[in-house]
DNA sequence: ACCTGTGCCGAACACTGTTCGCCATCGTCG
DNA sequence: CGACGATGGCGAACAGTGTTCGGCACAGGT
């Protein structure tokens, strides 16, 4: 994982569909070299995949929220089961198991407020393991597409 | 945005680097047709870009956390400025402006716990606008790479 | 000085992206 | 009801691309 690898990783985070030749040109190396590097990065698991980023509105998702959930009893089985069940729901785009007063955090997108409300009532009010949940609507957001490498030592 | 477009969008979320011909074959249409569809989806802004997914460990990020922040005075200027400042920091991968008791939610990744601690103290304890912040370490996470289209009406 | 391994390069070839003209389909309007 | 324009899909063709492979330079070890 030298400087060249980092540069490749950064470039592919910005645009995963650029041609191997463009990538090579931009880094000042031969296409064959570049290809081999990229293949190794994939094989090593550094590059996990390539994904298209889609406008949420085009997927009919205009409302975004974070839902903090408190589970009881808090054992491994309940956590794993509930996490797996949540991530399967179409409205849920991410689930985090946390340290702190709340146990789970679900990142949710819904069609509108009514849909979000229905989701909360149907999916979180019913299960007995959920003792409390708290929803925070997202007004604005800013995401980073390309993450640099943090200085190691 | 018909069924075919949805299928294209889904396939490209799964793997953004598959060849246009494979994509076309998989959908049962001609490569030229497929290409035109994809171009229109990009032009319409449905497809926003293609990004490589990178293993956080390879970027030296072993600790992940959500930090809830309370700002005062809570006016547009303070929010915009602070949000913009946060997203510029290398440790911050996303910032959300929320409705609820907390105003901002920052998604953070750090090298280790010490690094996270330093980040919190240096970046959040100092500014006067921050009246409170609360950190929640992430133990586990599950993300969805491909989001389906929610039924519209 | 001599290996040996590693990583990069450039040529070669099959395959791909991309363009373009043609055709079928469908809705519109005379 | 028929003519017609618009729309969208198709397949052939060509430039450009991914991918392989043999060779080469350089470094470290013996």
């Amino acid at each position: 994982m030298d400087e060249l690898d980092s540069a490749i990783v950064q470039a592919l985070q910005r645009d995963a569909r650029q041609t191997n030749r463009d990538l090579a040109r931009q880094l000042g190396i031969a296409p064959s070299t570049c290809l081999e590097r990229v293949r190794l990065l994939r094989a090593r698991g550094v590059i996990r995949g390539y994904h298209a980023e889609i406008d949420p509105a085009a997927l009919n998702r205009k409302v975004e929220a974070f839902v903090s959930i408190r589970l009881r009893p808090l054992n491994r089985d309940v956590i794993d089961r509930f996490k797996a069940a949540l991530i399967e729901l179409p409205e849920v785009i991410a689930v985090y198991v946390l340290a702190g007063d709340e146990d789970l955090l679900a990142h949710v997108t819904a069609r509108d407020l009514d849909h979000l409300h229905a989701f909360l009532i149907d999916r979180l009010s019913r299960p007995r393991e959920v003792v409390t949940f708290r929803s925070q609507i997202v007004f604005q957001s800013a995401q980073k597409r390309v993450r640099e490498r943090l200085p190691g030592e």
Side-chain angles (χ1 to χ4, degrees), chain A:
Chain A
M1 196 68 194
D2 57 359
E3 273 312 308
L4 196 52
D5 284 336
S6 290
I8 291 174
V9 160
Q10 259 185 267
L12 287 179
Q13 281 183 90
R14 249 190 302 272
D15 179 11
R17 283 211 106 174
Q18 61 188 303
T19 67
N20 182 54
R21 279 176 139 91
D22 277 345
L23 187 57
R25 209 168 306 149
Q26 170 184 336
L27 301 178
I29 58 175
S32 52
T33 306
C34 189
L35 188 71
E36 185 59 18
R37 289 278 194 153
V38 172
R39 281 175 38 159
L40 284 179
L41 286 169
R42 283 230 65 175
R44 265 192 282 157
V46 172
I47 298 176
R48 289 189 170 168
Y50 307 98
H51 308 287
E53 179 195 352
I54 307 300
D55 177 14
L59 301 172
N60 256 299
R61 298 158 183 262
K62 298 187 188 66
V63 172
E64 185 177 356
F66 282 93
V67 186
S68 301
I69 302 166
R70 213 177 291 218
L71 294 177
R72 286 304 113 89
L74 195 58
N75 57 45
R76 190 183 296 264
D77 201 56
V78 167
I79 292 176
D80 286 350
R81 210 178 289 275
F82 210 78
K83 183 180 83 164
L86 276 178
I87 198 64
E88 287 303 317
L89 300 175
E91 293 89 352
V92 176
I93 61 179
V95 179
Y96 303 92
V97 182
L98 299 180
D101 12 325
E102 272 126 350
D103 307 310
L104 249 55
L105 183 67
H107 192 175
V108 172
T109 54
R111 210 180 309 120
D112 47 33
L113 279 179
D114 278 349
H115 183 197
L116 175 63
H117 194 202
F119 168 82
L120 294 172
I121 292 176
D122 293 343
R123 304 301 185 180
L124 295 181
S125 293
R126 282 216 238 276
R128 274 184 266 87
E129 306 96 311
V130 176
V131 294
T132 310
F133 65 88
R134 182 173 64 102
S135 308
Q136 296 172 291
I137 305 274
V138 174
F139 288 140
Q140 308 171 18
S141 69
Q143 272 122 310
K144 209 172 283 178
R145 314 275 166 236
V146 34
R147 309 177 189 175
E148 322 141 38
R149 184 158 157 227
L150 291 177
E153 46 265 5

